[in-house]
Structure formats: C-alpha cells, structure tokens
PDB file of all heavy atoms in Angstrom:
ATOM      1  N   SER Z   1     -19.639 -35.773 -23.038  1.00  0.00           N
ATOM      2  CA  SER Z   1     -19.153 -34.992 -21.891  1.00  0.00           C
ATOM      3  C   SER Z   1     -19.740 -35.464 -20.566  1.00  0.00           C
ATOM      4  O   SER Z   1     -19.179 -35.196 -19.512  1.00  0.00           O
ATOM      5  CB  SER Z   1     -19.431 -33.506 -22.106  1.00  0.00           C
ATOM      6  OG  SER Z   1     -20.815 -33.247 -22.103  1.00  0.00           O
ATOM      7  N   ARG Z   2     -20.846 -36.191 -20.607  1.00  0.00           N
ATOM      8  CA  ARG Z   2     -21.413 -36.757 -19.376  1.00  0.00           C
ATOM      9  C   ARG Z   2     -20.593 -37.932 -18.853  1.00  0.00           C
ATOM     10  O   ARG Z   2     -20.695 -38.288 -17.690  1.00  0.00           O
ATOM     11  CB  ARG Z   2     -22.846 -37.222 -19.618  1.00  0.00           C
ATOM     12  CG  ARG Z   2     -23.827 -36.104 -19.774  1.00  0.00           C
ATOM     13  CD  ARG Z   2     -25.229 -36.644 -19.895  1.00  0.00           C
ATOM     14  NE  ARG Z   2     -25.871 -35.904 -20.981  1.00  0.00           N
ATOM     15  CZ  ARG Z   2     -26.813 -36.370 -21.771  1.00  0.00           C
ATOM     16  NH1 ARG Z   2     -27.250 -37.597 -21.618  1.00  0.00           N
ATOM     17  NH2 ARG Z   2     -27.325 -35.615 -22.703  1.00  0.00           N
ATOM     18  N   HIS Z   3     -19.807 -38.532 -19.728  1.00  0.00           N
ATOM     19  CA  HIS Z   3     -19.088 -39.754 -19.373  1.00  0.00           C
ATOM     20  C   HIS Z   3     -17.572 -39.630 -19.413  1.00  0.00           C
ATOM     21  O   HIS Z   3     -16.880 -40.470 -18.842  1.00  0.00           O
ATOM     22  CB  HIS Z   3     -19.517 -40.890 -20.318  1.00  0.00           C
ATOM     23  CG  HIS Z   3     -20.997 -41.133 -20.298  1.00  0.00           C
ATOM     24  ND1 HIS Z   3     -21.622 -41.813 -19.283  1.00  0.00           N
ATOM     25  CD2 HIS Z   3     -21.973 -40.746 -21.156  1.00  0.00           C
ATOM     26  CE1 HIS Z   3     -22.931 -41.849 -19.525  1.00  0.00           C
ATOM     27  NE2 HIS Z   3     -23.162 -41.209 -20.650  1.00  0.00           N
ATOM     28  N   VAL Z   4     -17.071 -38.624 -20.100  1.00  0.00           N
ATOM     29  CA  VAL Z   4     -15.638 -38.469 -20.273  1.00  0.00           C
ATOM     30  C   VAL Z   4     -15.267 -37.010 -20.019  1.00  0.00           C
ATOM     31  O   VAL Z   4     -15.925 -36.109 -20.513  1.00  0.00           O
ATOM     32  CB  VAL Z   4     -15.208 -38.858 -21.715  1.00  0.00           C
ATOM     33  CG1 VAL Z   4     -13.723 -38.655 -21.905  1.00  0.00           C
ATOM     34  CG2 VAL Z   4     -15.608 -40.283 -22.025  1.00  0.00           C
ATOM     35  N   ASP Z   5     -14.209 -36.808 -19.253  1.00  0.00           N
ATOM     36  CA  ASP Z   5     -13.740 -35.450 -18.982  1.00  0.00           C
ATOM     37  C   ASP Z   5     -12.732 -35.063 -20.059  1.00  0.00           C
ATOM     38  O   ASP Z   5     -11.540 -35.351 -19.941  1.00  0.00           O
ATOM     39  CB  ASP Z   5     -13.107 -35.377 -17.591  1.00  0.00           C
ATOM     40  CG  ASP Z   5     -12.723 -33.966 -17.213  1.00  0.00           C
ATOM     41  OD1 ASP Z   5     -13.290 -33.014 -17.783  1.00  0.00           O
ATOM     42  OD2 ASP Z   5     -11.843 -33.815 -16.349  1.00  0.00           O
ATOM     43  N   ILE Z   6     -13.239 -34.451 -21.130  1.00  0.00           N
ATOM     44  CA  ILE Z   6     -12.384 -34.036 -22.242  1.00  0.00           C
ATOM     45  C   ILE Z   6     -12.815 -32.627 -22.653  1.00  0.00           C
ATOM     46  O   ILE Z   6     -14.014 -32.368 -22.796  1.00  0.00           O
ATOM     47  CB  ILE Z   6     -12.483 -35.029 -23.426  1.00  0.00           C
ATOM     48  CG1 ILE Z   6     -11.529 -34.644 -24.554  1.00  0.00           C
ATOM     49  CG2 ILE Z   6     -13.876 -35.178 -23.921  1.00  0.00           C
ATOM     50  CD1 ILE Z   6     -11.420 -35.688 -25.641  1.00  0.00           C
ATOM     51  N   PRO Z   7     -11.876 -31.728 -22.820  1.00  0.00           N
ATOM     52  CA  PRO Z   7     -12.235 -30.373 -23.239  1.00  0.00           C
ATOM     53  C   PRO Z   7     -12.942 -30.371 -24.601  1.00  0.00           C
ATOM     54  O   PRO Z   7     -12.606 -31.175 -25.485  1.00  0.00           O
ATOM     55  CB  PRO Z   7     -10.892 -29.647 -23.324  1.00  0.00           C
ATOM     56  CG  PRO Z   7      -9.967 -30.437 -22.456  1.00  0.00           C
ATOM     57  CD  PRO Z   7     -10.445 -31.858 -22.555  1.00  0.00           C
ATOM     58  N   THR Z   8     -13.887 -29.489 -24.745  1.00  0.00           N
ATOM     59  CA  THR Z   8     -14.681 -29.423 -25.978  1.00  0.00           C
ATOM     60  C   THR Z   8     -13.806 -29.218 -27.205  1.00  0.00           C
ATOM     61  O   THR Z   8     -14.037 -29.845 -28.242  1.00  0.00           O
ATOM     62  CB  THR Z   8     -15.730 -28.298 -25.885  1.00  0.00           C
ATOM     63  OG1 THR Z   8     -16.560 -28.542 -24.756  1.00  0.00           O
ATOM     64  CG2 THR Z   8     -16.599 -28.238 -27.121  1.00  0.00           C
ATOM     65  N   HIS Z   9     -12.805 -28.366 -27.109  1.00  0.00           N
ATOM     66  CA  HIS Z   9     -11.969 -28.095 -28.288  1.00  0.00           C
ATOM     67  C   HIS Z   9     -11.190 -29.335 -28.725  1.00  0.00           C
ATOM     68  O   HIS Z   9     -10.948 -29.536 -29.913  1.00  0.00           O
ATOM     69  CB  HIS Z   9     -11.043 -26.898 -28.049  1.00  0.00           C
ATOM     70  CG  HIS Z   9      -9.926 -27.149 -27.092  1.00  0.00           C
ATOM     71  ND1 HIS Z   9     -10.088 -27.123 -25.723  1.00  0.00           N
ATOM     72  CD2 HIS Z   9      -8.627 -27.461 -27.310  1.00  0.00           C
ATOM     73  CE1 HIS Z   9      -8.935 -27.393 -25.144  1.00  0.00           C
ATOM     74  NE2 HIS Z   9      -8.031 -27.598 -26.075  1.00  0.00           N
ATOM     75  N   ILE Z  10     -10.828 -30.195 -27.786  1.00  0.00           N
ATOM     76  CA  ILE Z  10     -10.129 -31.433 -28.153  1.00  0.00           C
ATOM     77  C   ILE Z  10     -11.097 -32.412 -28.801  1.00  0.00           C
ATOM     78  O   ILE Z  10     -10.784 -33.059 -29.806  1.00  0.00           O
ATOM     79  CB  ILE Z  10      -9.419 -32.057 -26.937  1.00  0.00           C
ATOM     80  CG1 ILE Z  10      -8.277 -31.149 -26.502  1.00  0.00           C
ATOM     81  CG2 ILE Z  10      -8.917 -33.470 -27.255  1.00  0.00           C
ATOM     82  CD1 ILE Z  10      -7.560 -31.609 -25.257  1.00  0.00           C
ATOM     83  N   LEU Z  11     -12.285 -32.535 -28.236  1.00  0.00           N
ATOM     84  CA  LEU Z  11     -13.296 -33.412 -28.838  1.00  0.00           C
ATOM     85  C   LEU Z  11     -13.644 -32.944 -30.252  1.00  0.00           C
ATOM     86  O   LEU Z  11     -13.702 -33.755 -31.178  1.00  0.00           O
ATOM     87  CB  LEU Z  11     -14.555 -33.458 -27.964  1.00  0.00           C
ATOM     88  CG  LEU Z  11     -15.703 -34.318 -28.484  1.00  0.00           C
ATOM     89  CD1 LEU Z  11     -15.252 -35.766 -28.688  1.00  0.00           C
ATOM     90  CD2 LEU Z  11     -16.875 -34.258 -27.529  1.00  0.00           C
ATOM     91  N   ASN Z  12     -13.827 -31.640 -30.433  1.00  0.00           N
ATOM     92  CA  ASN Z  12     -14.114 -31.097 -31.765  1.00  0.00           C
ATOM     93  C   ASN Z  12     -12.990 -31.408 -32.745  1.00  0.00           C
ATOM     94  O   ASN Z  12     -13.244 -31.788 -33.896  1.00  0.00           O
ATOM     95  CB  ASN Z  12     -14.332 -29.589 -31.698  1.00  0.00           C
ATOM     96  CG  ASN Z  12     -15.621 -29.218 -31.016  1.00  0.00           C
ATOM     97  OD1 ASN Z  12     -16.531 -30.026 -30.880  1.00  0.00           O
ATOM     98  ND2 ASN Z  12     -15.702 -27.987 -30.568  1.00  0.00           N
ATOM     99  N   ALA Z  13     -11.754 -31.259 -32.293  1.00  0.00           N
ATOM    100  CA  ALA Z  13     -10.600 -31.542 -33.157  1.00  0.00           C
ATOM    101  C   ALA Z  13     -10.563 -33.018 -33.549  1.00  0.00           C
ATOM    102  O   ALA Z  13     -10.269 -33.346 -34.703  1.00  0.00           O
ATOM    103  CB  ALA Z  13      -9.309 -31.142 -32.450  1.00  0.00           C
ATOM    104  N   ARG Z  14     -10.856 -33.887 -32.604  1.00  0.00           N
ATOM    105  CA  ARG Z  14     -10.847 -35.330 -32.905  1.00  0.00           C
ATOM    106  C   ARG Z  14     -11.968 -35.702 -33.876  1.00  0.00           C
ATOM    107  O   ARG Z  14     -11.771 -36.531 -34.776  1.00  0.00           O
ATOM    108  CB  ARG Z  14     -10.967 -36.146 -31.629  1.00  0.00           C
ATOM    109  CG  ARG Z  14      -9.690 -36.127 -30.822  1.00  0.00           C
ATOM    110  CD  ARG Z  14      -9.775 -37.037 -29.646  1.00  0.00           C
ATOM    111  NE  ARG Z  14      -8.560 -36.955 -28.843  1.00  0.00           N
ATOM    112  CZ  ARG Z  14      -8.424 -37.527 -27.676  1.00  0.00           C
ATOM    113  NH1 ARG Z  14      -9.407 -38.245 -27.159  1.00  0.00           N
ATOM    114  NH2 ARG Z  14      -7.299 -37.401 -27.002  1.00  0.00           N
ATOM    115  N   LEU Z  15     -13.133 -35.108 -33.688  1.00  0.00           N
ATOM    116  CA  LEU Z  15     -14.240 -35.367 -34.618  1.00  0.00           C
ATOM    117  C   LEU Z  15     -13.872 -34.923 -36.031  1.00  0.00           C
ATOM    118  O   LEU Z  15     -14.076 -35.657 -36.999  1.00  0.00           O
ATOM    119  CB  LEU Z  15     -15.509 -34.646 -34.156  1.00  0.00           C
ATOM    120  CG  LEU Z  15     -16.261 -35.248 -32.983  1.00  0.00           C
ATOM    121  CD1 LEU Z  15     -17.338 -34.293 -32.490  1.00  0.00           C
ATOM    122  CD2 LEU Z  15     -16.869 -36.582 -33.372  1.00  0.00           C
ATOM    123  N   LEU Z  16     -13.340 -33.711 -36.148  1.00  0.00           N
ATOM    124  CA  LEU Z  16     -12.963 -33.180 -37.459  1.00  0.00           C
ATOM    125  C   LEU Z  16     -11.864 -34.021 -38.098  1.00  0.00           C
ATOM    126  O   LEU Z  16     -11.934 -34.357 -39.282  1.00  0.00           O
ATOM    127  CB  LEU Z  16     -12.517 -31.727 -37.331  1.00  0.00           C
ATOM    128  CG  LEU Z  16     -12.164 -31.013 -38.629  1.00  0.00           C
ATOM    129  CD1 LEU Z  16     -13.363 -31.002 -39.580  1.00  0.00           C
ATOM    130  CD2 LEU Z  16     -11.702 -29.596 -38.338  1.00  0.00           C
ATOM    131  N   GLU Z  17     -10.876 -34.382 -37.317  1.00  0.00           N
ATOM    132  CA  GLU Z  17      -9.777 -35.218 -37.819  1.00  0.00           C
ATOM    133  C   GLU Z  17     -10.308 -36.561 -38.336  1.00  0.00           C
ATOM    134  O   GLU Z  17      -9.925 -37.033 -39.408  1.00  0.00           O
ATOM    135  CB  GLU Z  17      -8.767 -35.456 -36.699  1.00  0.00           C
ATOM    136  CG  GLU Z  17      -7.640 -36.399 -37.062  1.00  0.00           C
ATOM    137  CD  GLU Z  17      -6.768 -36.761 -35.859  1.00  0.00           C
ATOM    138  OE1 GLU Z  17      -7.029 -36.284 -34.737  1.00  0.00           O
ATOM    139  OE2 GLU Z  17      -5.828 -37.537 -36.053  1.00  0.00           O
ATOM    140  N   THR Z  18     -11.212 -37.159 -37.579  1.00  0.00           N
ATOM    141  CA  THR Z  18     -11.771 -38.458 -37.973  1.00  0.00           C
ATOM    142  C   THR Z  18     -12.616 -38.330 -39.240  1.00  0.00           C
ATOM    143  O   THR Z  18     -12.510 -39.164 -40.145  1.00  0.00           O
ATOM    144  CB  THR Z  18     -12.622 -39.038 -36.829  1.00  0.00           C
ATOM    145  OG1 THR Z  18     -11.805 -39.141 -35.662  1.00  0.00           O
ATOM    146  CG2 THR Z  18     -13.166 -40.413 -37.184  1.00  0.00           C
ATOM    147  N   GLU Z  19     -13.439 -37.289 -39.322  1.00  0.00           N
ATOM    148  CA  GLU Z  19     -14.238 -37.076 -40.528  1.00  0.00           C
ATOM    149  C   GLU Z  19     -13.349 -36.897 -41.747  1.00  0.00           C
ATOM    150  O   GLU Z  19     -13.639 -37.440 -42.819  1.00  0.00           O
ATOM    151  CB  GLU Z  19     -15.133 -35.852 -40.372  1.00  0.00           C
ATOM    152  CG  GLU Z  19     -16.372 -36.093 -39.539  1.00  0.00           C
ATOM    153  CD  GLU Z  19     -17.283 -34.893 -39.554  1.00  0.00           C
ATOM    154  OE1 GLU Z  19     -18.050 -34.743 -40.532  1.00  0.00           O
ATOM    155  OE2 GLU Z  19     -17.217 -34.100 -38.599  1.00  0.00           O
ATOM    156  N   ARG Z  20     -12.289 -36.126 -41.605  1.00  0.00           N
ATOM    157  CA  ARG Z  20     -11.387 -35.887 -42.740  1.00  0.00           C
ATOM    158  C   ARG Z  20     -10.709 -37.170 -43.192  1.00  0.00           C
ATOM    159  O   ARG Z  20     -10.520 -37.387 -44.381  1.00  0.00           O
ATOM    160  CB  ARG Z  20     -10.353 -34.832 -42.382  1.00  0.00           C
ATOM    161  CG  ARG Z  20     -10.945 -33.447 -42.355  1.00  0.00           C
ATOM    162  CD  ARG Z  20      -9.920 -32.403 -42.027  1.00  0.00           C
ATOM    163  NE  ARG Z  20     -10.517 -31.076 -42.112  1.00  0.00           N
ATOM    164  CZ  ARG Z  20      -9.967 -29.994 -41.629  1.00  0.00           C
ATOM    165  NH1 ARG Z  20      -8.793 -30.051 -41.010  1.00  0.00           N
ATOM    166  NH2 ARG Z  20     -10.567 -28.828 -41.749  1.00  0.00           N
ATOM    167  N   LYS Z  21     -10.320 -38.015 -42.249  1.00  0.00           N
ATOM    168  CA  LYS Z  21      -9.702 -39.292 -42.616  1.00  0.00           C
ATOM    169  C   LYS Z  21     -10.711 -40.201 -43.315  1.00  0.00           C
ATOM    170  O   LYS Z  21     -10.381 -40.894 -44.274  1.00  0.00           O
ATOM    171  CB  LYS Z  21      -9.157 -39.996 -41.372  1.00  0.00           C
ATOM    172  CG  LYS Z  21      -7.882 -39.401 -40.858  1.00  0.00           C
ATOM    173  CD  LYS Z  21      -7.393 -40.180 -39.634  1.00  0.00           C
ATOM    174  CE  LYS Z  21      -6.144 -39.551 -39.056  1.00  0.00           C
ATOM    175  NZ  LYS Z  21      -5.713 -40.239 -37.821  1.00  0.00           N
ATOM    176  N   ASN Z  22     -11.940 -40.215 -42.817  1.00  0.00           N
ATOM    177  CA  ASN Z  22     -12.956 -41.126 -43.347  1.00  0.00           C
ATOM    178  C   ASN Z  22     -13.565 -40.678 -44.669  1.00  0.00           C
ATOM    179  O   ASN Z  22     -14.140 -41.494 -45.382  1.00  0.00           O
ATOM    180  CB  ASN Z  22     -14.073 -41.325 -42.323  1.00  0.00           C
ATOM    181  CG  ASN Z  22     -13.641 -42.185 -41.171  1.00  0.00           C
ATOM    182  OD1 ASN Z  22     -12.648 -42.893 -41.241  1.00  0.00           O
ATOM    183  ND2 ASN Z  22     -14.391 -42.130 -40.083  1.00  0.00           N
ATOM    184  N   ILE Z  23     -13.451 -39.406 -45.003  1.00  0.00           N
ATOM    185  CA  ILE Z  23     -14.112 -38.915 -46.215  1.00  0.00           C
ATOM    186  C   ILE Z  23     -13.551 -39.576 -47.475  1.00  0.00           C
ATOM    187  O   ILE Z  23     -14.270 -39.793 -48.441  1.00  0.00           O
ATOM    188  CB  ILE Z  23     -14.066 -37.375 -46.307  1.00  0.00           C
ATOM    189  CG1 ILE Z  23     -15.199 -36.877 -47.181  1.00  0.00           C
ATOM    190  CG2 ILE Z  23     -12.718 -36.874 -46.790  1.00  0.00           C
ATOM    191  CD1 ILE Z  23     -15.519 -35.418 -47.000  1.00  0.00           C
ATOM    192  N   THR Z  24     -12.268 -39.948 -47.442  1.00  0.00           N
ATOM    193  CA  THR Z  24     -11.695 -40.626 -48.610  1.00  0.00           C
ATOM    194  C   THR Z  24     -12.250 -42.041 -48.767  1.00  0.00           C
ATOM    195  O   THR Z  24     -12.313 -42.564 -49.877  1.00  0.00           O
ATOM    196  CB  THR Z  24     -10.153 -40.689 -48.525  1.00  0.00           C
ATOM    197  OG1 THR Z  24      -9.785 -41.370 -47.332  1.00  0.00           O
ATOM    198  CG2 THR Z  24      -9.545 -39.301 -48.540  1.00  0.00           C
ATOM    199  N   THR Z  25     -12.674 -42.652 -47.667  1.00  0.00           N
ATOM    200  CA  THR Z  25     -13.227 -44.006 -47.711  1.00  0.00           C
ATOM    201  C   THR Z  25     -14.731 -44.003 -47.938  1.00  0.00           C
ATOM    202  O   THR Z  25     -15.245 -44.738 -48.774  1.00  0.00           O
ATOM    203  CB  THR Z  25     -12.921 -44.757 -46.394  1.00  0.00           C
ATOM    204  OG1 THR Z  25     -11.518 -44.762 -46.186  1.00  0.00           O
ATOM    205  CG2 THR Z  25     -13.441 -46.186 -46.442  1.00  0.00           C
ATOM    206  N   TYR Z  26     -15.453 -43.172 -47.183  1.00  0.00           N
ATOM    207  CA  TYR Z  26     -16.914 -43.206 -47.188  1.00  0.00           C
ATOM    208  C   TYR Z  26     -17.558 -42.088 -47.992  1.00  0.00           C
ATOM    209  O   TYR Z  26     -18.750 -42.124 -48.247  1.00  0.00           O
ATOM    210  CB  TYR Z  26     -17.450 -43.140 -45.757  1.00  0.00           C
ATOM    211  CG  TYR Z  26     -16.907 -44.226 -44.862  1.00  0.00           C
ATOM    212  CD1 TYR Z  26     -16.183 -43.920 -43.725  1.00  0.00           C
ATOM    213  CD2 TYR Z  26     -17.113 -45.565 -45.164  1.00  0.00           C
ATOM    214  CE1 TYR Z  26     -15.679 -44.915 -42.899  1.00  0.00           C
ATOM    215  CE2 TYR Z  26     -16.612 -46.566 -44.353  1.00  0.00           C
ATOM    216  CZ  TYR Z  26     -15.901 -46.229 -43.218  1.00  0.00           C
ATOM    217  OH  TYR Z  26     -15.401 -47.218 -42.411  1.00  0.00           O
ATOM    218  N   GLY Z  27     -16.797 -41.059 -48.348  1.00  0.00           N
ATOM    219  CA  GLY Z  27     -17.359 -39.926 -49.063  1.00  0.00           C
ATOM    220  C   GLY Z  27     -18.092 -38.989 -48.112  1.00  0.00           C
ATOM    221  O   GLY Z  27     -18.133 -39.211 -46.906  1.00  0.00           O
ATOM    222  N   TYR Z  28     -18.658 -37.939 -48.689  1.00  0.00           N
ATOM    223  CA  TYR Z  28     -19.394 -36.959 -47.897  1.00  0.00           C
ATOM    224  C   TYR Z  28     -20.844 -37.404 -47.796  1.00  0.00           C
ATOM    225  O   TYR Z  28     -21.473 -37.719 -48.792  1.00  0.00           O
ATOM    226  CB  TYR Z  28     -19.318 -35.575 -48.544  1.00  0.00           C
ATOM    227  CG  TYR Z  28     -20.078 -34.533 -47.774  1.00  0.00           C
ATOM    228  CD1 TYR Z  28     -19.508 -33.928 -46.668  1.00  0.00           C
ATOM    229  CD2 TYR Z  28     -21.364 -34.172 -48.130  1.00  0.00           C
ATOM    230  CE1 TYR Z  28     -20.194 -32.978 -45.941  1.00  0.00           C
ATOM    231  CE2 TYR Z  28     -22.062 -33.221 -47.410  1.00  0.00           C
ATOM    232  CZ  TYR Z  28     -21.475 -32.633 -46.318  1.00  0.00           C
ATOM    233  OH  TYR Z  28     -22.160 -31.698 -45.597  1.00  0.00           O
TER     234      TYR Z  28
END
C-alpha cells in the first residue's frame, strides 16, 4: 500500500485467488 494505490479488499481478493490457484501446485 506504500507503493500502489489499490483498495485493501481487492488486494485481499488477489492474494486469496493466487493462493487457491497455487495450492494445487505447491500444497499447503
């Protein structure tokens, strides 16, 4: 947030989306 103007809820959604995609490859 210090470097990019992005709403917290969008950043949270992107993090969650990325984790869900990666869990099939890297596991938990």
Side-chain angles (χ1 to χ4, degrees):
S1 66
R2 288 185 224 150
H3 303 283
V4 178
D5 185 22
I6 183 171
T8 302
H9 71 280
I10 293 176
L11 179 58
N12 290 341
R14 287 186 183 172
L15 284 170
L16 183 59
E17 175 188 0
T18 303
E19 282 186 82
R20 286 181 176 166
K21 284 181 183 176
N22 287 343
I23 204 162
T24 58
T25 303
Y26 304 120
Y28 179 82

